[in-house]
């Protein structure tokens, strides 16, 4: 069936009686517009076609080989005759009308306008489900075409929602998920159910959480991946691989919102430049549906959006910056118990459950906005906003929508948020921030001063200069009285003592600090941006070994772990009484 165009474009004439913006009235090929040398169409099958040369073969292909139709509309005549050539069409005339129709449609590019297979939203927030060969709009299946200003082109069919959904399907899936030995058995199965729901309708969500399942060997990660594949209807409903690249994923996803599940995504040798790092960046972009811009050898580049919901599984999780960790739902698996029941993995049954789950989400979509607001508000009442509310509010609301037609009661949400609370508070500490990461890196760096055959780190020097409990009394020739002389060579100094001590760090890229941050995201003076974000940091004029610089003064109480010196019995040591160090402006 030909692609469907939007109404309202037939006013005016495109010349010789041709409706404006159409090749001819009722033509099965739909012009979309032009962009540079390209003319865009939906062909007779509803596929998106970009054409830079309207050759006879190209036109024949776009029209699906319907030579009889072309010959009737644009007959080619014998030379010096009015007799048409049988089975032949006038390539020049139809090419002229095709280009004219696209030009009349105006400048058009597929970026942000093309929606492939998957779930989407219209401008009023109603759910649209594109099954590849048909599009579900307002409860009715329509042919691929243009709807609401977006193009839904034909593609390979994907698993559809069942005719109707039942809560029993979600309950059965939840029961199956509980057979794994999760590290948080009270919440992880429910979170995983919500993640599966997010994968099924990811393109319709404002936020798509990134999930990472981790665990040692024999914990069931691969079995879980197999369960996901069947629930999503097989390979056509889930992009699944154990060896993939970012470019490969983008090429397969195309314009769709197809979910992605990658197994064995272990840390790279170079966590900043490796294959895993590029895929994780793509998942971060997809979480919010941001644009992707890439260069290419032909200088044309690539521009598009990503709307897929990503799930990774591996034995180890690569080191991630805070912006990635904050988008992550981490699900940890323990080794399976010897007496644990084997998960039910009958493909036919699981595909049916997945279709029913998909139907429940589609059928109950009109409750989504209110339901999500309720869960986010409940999480906020327990002190969890921002990315935590995005991640956990989304998956809990989806799991709730799959299991229950009615909106959740306040006490039910409060009970779940209470279960989550301790886990999320621990997670907040683990995620930290870019500023904390910068400080932790700085404190762990060894300074180039030897003591008894070893180098001590910056934290030990700061502790000595600030006279903290159990701090070294001497490092090489340095003592607590003149430690600042050594620190100043590295763009650092300490003011005050004990719990009132403060770290001074230069803004300018002094050579000492540059060496400490070389090869990190905070190199070449970028550390100052992170220092500014530390709690209670203040800007001030200062000098370091006679070199003037603006800098930031950071209380020791704002530096993670610096004041937590523990004695041999596990108690906090007390600092001996020492005279207040001189508050010198310069250290020589």
């Amino acid at each position: 069936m030909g692609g469907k165009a939007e109404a309202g474009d037939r006013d005016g004439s495109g010349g010789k009686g041709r409706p404006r913006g159409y090749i001819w009235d009722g033509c099965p090929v739909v012009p979309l517009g032009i962009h540079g040398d390209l003319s865009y169409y939906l062909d007779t099958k509803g596929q998106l076609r970009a054409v830079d040369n309207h050759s006879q073969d190209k036109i024949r292909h776009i029209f699906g080989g319907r030579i009889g139709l072309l010959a009737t509309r644009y007959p080619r005549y014998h030379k010096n005759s009015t007799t048409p050539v049988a089975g032949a069409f006038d390539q020049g005339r139809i090419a002229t009308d095709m280009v004219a129709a696209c030009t009349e449609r105006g400048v058009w590019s597929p970026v942000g306008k093309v929606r492939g297979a998957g779930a989407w939203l219209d401008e009023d927030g109603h759910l649209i489900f594109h099954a590849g060969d048909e599009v579900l709009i307002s409860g009715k299946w329509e042919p691929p075409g243009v709807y609401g200003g977006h193009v839904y082109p034909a593609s390979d069919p994907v698993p559809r929602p069942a005719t109707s959904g039942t809560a029993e399907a979600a309950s059965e899936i939840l029961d199956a998920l509980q057979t794994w030995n999760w590290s948080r058995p009270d919440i992880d199965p429910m979170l995983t159910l919500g993640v599966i729901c997010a994968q099924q309708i990811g393109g319709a969500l404002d936020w798509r959480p990134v999930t990472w399942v981790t665990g040692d060997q024999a914990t069931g990660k691969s079995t879980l991946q197999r369960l996901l594949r069947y629930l999503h209807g097989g390979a056509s409903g889930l992009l699944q691989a154990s060896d993939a690249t970012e470019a490969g994923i983008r090429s397969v996803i195309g314009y769709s919102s197809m979910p992605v599940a990658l197994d064995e995504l272990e840390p790279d040798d170079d966590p900043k430049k490796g294959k895993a790092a590029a895929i994780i960046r793509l998942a971060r972009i997809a979480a919010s549906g941001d644009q992707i811009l890439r260069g290419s050898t032909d200088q044309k580049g690539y521009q598009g959006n990503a709307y897929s919901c990503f799930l990774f599984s591996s034995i180890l999780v690569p080191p991630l910056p805070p912006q990635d960790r904050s988008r992550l739902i981490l699900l940890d698996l323990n080794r399976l118990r010897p007496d644990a029941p084997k998960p039910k993995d009958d493909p036919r049954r699981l595909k049916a459950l997945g279709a029913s789950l998909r139907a429940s989400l589609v059928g109950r979509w009109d409750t989504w906005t209110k339901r999500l607001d309720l869960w986010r508000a409940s999480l906020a009442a327990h002190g969890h906003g921002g990315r935590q509310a995005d991640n956990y509010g989304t998956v809990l609301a989806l799991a709730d929508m799959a299991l229950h037609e009615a909106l959740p009661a306040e006490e039910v949400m409060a009970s779940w948020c209470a279960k989550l609370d301790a886990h999320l508070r621990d997670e907040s500490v683990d995620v930290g921030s870019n500023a904390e990461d910068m400080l932790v890196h700085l404190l762990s760096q060894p300074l180039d001063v030897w003591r008894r055959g070893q180098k001590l780190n910056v934290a030990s020097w700061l502790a000595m200069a600030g006279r903290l409990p159990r701090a070294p009394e001497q490092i090489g020739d340095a003592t607590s009285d003149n430690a600042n002389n050594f620190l100043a060579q590295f763009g650092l100094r300490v003011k005050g003592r004990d719990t009132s001590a403060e770290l001074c760090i230069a803004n300018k890229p002094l050579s000492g600090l540059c060496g400490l941050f070389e090869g990190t995201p905070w190199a070449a003076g970028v550390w100052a941006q992170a220092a500014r974000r530390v709690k209670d940091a203040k800007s001030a004029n200062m000098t370091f070994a006679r070199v003037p610089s603006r800098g930031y003064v950071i209380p020791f109480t704002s530096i993670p772990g610096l004041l937590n010196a523990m004695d041999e019995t596990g108690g906090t040591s007390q600092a001996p009484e020492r005279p207040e160090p001189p508050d010198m402006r310069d250290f020589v």
Side-chain angles (χ1 to χ4, degrees):
M1 186 173 184
K4 183 176 179 179
E6 302 235 79
D9 293 309
R10 297 176 182 267
D11 295 335
S13 174
K16 298 181 180 180
R18 178 178 55 79
R20 184 175 180 80
Y22 289 81
I23 302 171
W24 71 78
D25 194 13
C27 179
V29 172
V30 179
L32 298 174
I34 59 169
H35 193 274
D37 295 333
L38 297 176
S39 298
Y40 287 93
Y41 305 91
L42 290 180
D43 67 13
T44 55
K45 292 297 184 181
Q47 298 179 103
L48 179 65
R49 305 293 294 269
V51 179
D52 63 354
N53 182 359
H54 291 72
S55 65
Q56 191 171 46
D57 285 343
K58 184 73 71 174
I59 294 172
R60 184 185 296 115
H61 202 265
I62 292 173
F63 277 85
R66 298 167 71 172
I67 303 300
L69 175 64
L70 293 172
T72 299
R73 301 297 308 192
Y74 295 89
R76 182 159 62 87
Y77 299 95
H78 289 285
K79 188 175 182 180
N80 300 322
S81 171
T82 58
T83 304
V85 178
F89 64 93
D90 191 326
Q91 178 262 338
R93 287 176 54 213
I94 188 173
T96 299
D97 281 358
M98 290 176 71
V99 172
C102 278
T103 303
E104 290 160 2
R105 290 278 180 173
V107 176
W108 186 93
S109 75
V111 177
K113 302 183 185 72
V114 178
R115 292 176 167 181
W120 306 95
L121 288 187
D122 66 15
E123 292 182 353
D124 297 321
H126 299 135
L127 189 72
I128 295 175
F129 190 87
H130 188 358
D133 54 351
E134 287 187 303
V135 185
L136 183 63
I137 302 176
S138 300
K140 182 181 178 182
W141 289 102
E142 302 282 359
V146 185
Y147 302 97
H150 289 93
V151 176
Y152 296 83
S155 64
D156 290 340
V158 300
R160 300 186 180 204
T163 305
S164 62
T166 64
E168 287 75 16
S171 296
E172 189 170 337
I173 294 171
L174 183 60
D175 289 342
L177 293 171
Q178 289 171 337
T179 61
W180 274 265
N181 189 13
W182 303 96
S183 63
R184 304 174 301 189
D186 55 336
I187 64 170
D188 285 348
M190 182 67 80
L191 296 179
T192 307
L193 174 62
V195 167
I196 294 170
C197 295
Q199 291 179 317
Q200 294 218 351
I201 56 171
L205 300 174
D206 289 333
W207 183 257
R208 288 159 284 277
V210 180
T211 307
W212 207 303
V213 179
T214 182
D216 212 332
Q217 296 176 351
T219 56
K221 298 188 300 298
S222 296
T223 305
L224 181 63
Q225 287 273 2
R226 186 165 61 249
L227 176 81
L228 294 176
R229 181 170 68 252
Y230 294 149
L231 286 174
H232 289 298
S236 61
L238 177 69
L239 173 55
Q240 200 169 46
S242 57
D243 185 13
T245 65
E246 184 256 3
I249 293 170
R250 282 194 289 109
S251 67
V252 173
I253 292 174
Y255 295 110
S256 77
S257 58
M258 187 179 190
V260 179
L262 303 181
D263 196 12
E264 300 180 7
L265 193 71
E266 301 295 340
D268 293 310
D269 293 335
D270 186 343
K272 296 179 182 178
K273 300 179 180 179
K275 180 173 64 175
I279 294 174
I280 294 167
R281 282 195 299 271
L282 178 61
R284 182 176 71 231
I285 293 170
S288 55
D290 289 337
Q291 280 205 345
I292 304 170
L293 301 175
R294 293 284 189 273
S296 62
T297 56
D298 60 5
Q299 303 301 312
K300 292 182 179 180
Y302 169 84
Q303 183 179 5
N305 291 75
Y307 297 98
S308 296
C309 196
F310 280 73
L311 179 142
F312 305 117
S313 61
S314 62
I315 296 175
L316 300 173
V317 178
L320 302 173
Q323 65 267 28
D324 288 336
R325 296 200 301 269
S326 67
R327 286 169 167 80
L328 192 65
I329 293 178
L330 185 63
L331 301 172
D332 197 11
L333 287 169
N334 298 322
R335 286 185 178 274
L336 295 171
R337 295 181 296 271
D339 59 344
K342 184 179 180 180
K344 299 178 181 179
D345 60 355
D346 174 52
R348 187 178 305 175
R349 176 60 180 163
L350 290 174
K351 288 179 180 180
L353 289 175
S356 181
L357 178 67
R358 199 176 297 115
S360 294
L361 298 173
V362 172
R364 297 171 185 172
W365 182 258
D366 59 346
T367 70
W368 169 246
T369 301
K370 178 63 174 177
R371 198 181 300 263
L372 178 62
D373 288 344
L374 290 173
W375 279 100
R376 287 180 61 92
S378 186
L379 284 166
H382 285 76
H384 303 293
R387 286 289 178 256
Q388 285 185 337
D390 290 334
N391 283 335
Y392 295 98
T394 297
V395 297
L396 284 173
L398 284 169
D400 172 53
M401 189 162 74
L403 290 164
H404 309 288
E405 186 172 359
L407 292 174
E410 185 175 344
E411 58 271 19
V412 172
M413 293 185 294
S415 174
W416 274 103
C417 290
K419 290 181 183 180
L420 278 168
D421 192 56
H423 301 299
L424 296 188
R425 292 190 186 281
D426 289 344
E427 187 176 280
S428 297
V429 174
D430 291 339
V431 169
S433 67
N434 183 271
E436 289 183 7
D437 287 354
M438 181 276 292
L439 289 172
V440 170
H441 171 83
L442 175 64
L443 266 60
S444 66
Q445 296 307 295
L447 293 186
D448 195 17
V449 177
W450 293 86
R451 181 194 183 215
R452 297 177 183 174
Q454 64 176 340
K455 294 180 182 180
L456 299 186
N457 60 19
V458 171
S460 298
W461 279 89
L462 298 182
M464 184 173 73
R467 302 170 186 262
L468 298 186
R470 297 187 60 79
E473 295 187 3
Q474 186 171 351
I475 302 177
D477 297 330
T479 67
S480 56
D481 291 330
N482 63 5
N484 272 320
N485 294 345
F486 290 88
L487 287 170
Q489 308 298 321
F490 294 89
L492 305 169
R493 56 181 281 196
V494 173
K495 294 177 63 176
R497 59 169 294 176
D498 207 347
T499 57
S500 298
E502 297 174 309
L503 165 65
C504 301
I505 180 171
N507 285 357
K508 291 183 178 179
L510 305 182
S511 61
L513 274 174
C514 286
L516 294 176
F517 287 108
E518 183 178 0
T520 74
W522 309 286
V526 176
W527 64 76
Q529 300 176 39
R532 182 178 68 245
R533 301 185 182 118
V534 177
K535 181 182 177 183
D536 298 326
K538 302 184 295 292
S539 180
N541 289 313
M542 53 190 75
T543 57
F544 301 87
R546 300 186 185 278
V547 178
S549 174
R550 292 285 292 179
Y552 284 96
V553 181
I554 300 172
F556 274 20
T557 53
S558 298
I559 301 177
L562 189 57
L563 297 178
N564 296 339
M566 306 299 289
D567 62 22
E568 294 178 355
T569 63
T572 303
S573 301
Q574 300 296 320
E577 289 294 326
R578 295 177 180 172
E580 184 76 18
D583 184 10
M584 296 181 291
R585 181 171 173 80
D586 189 31
F587 299 91
V588 295

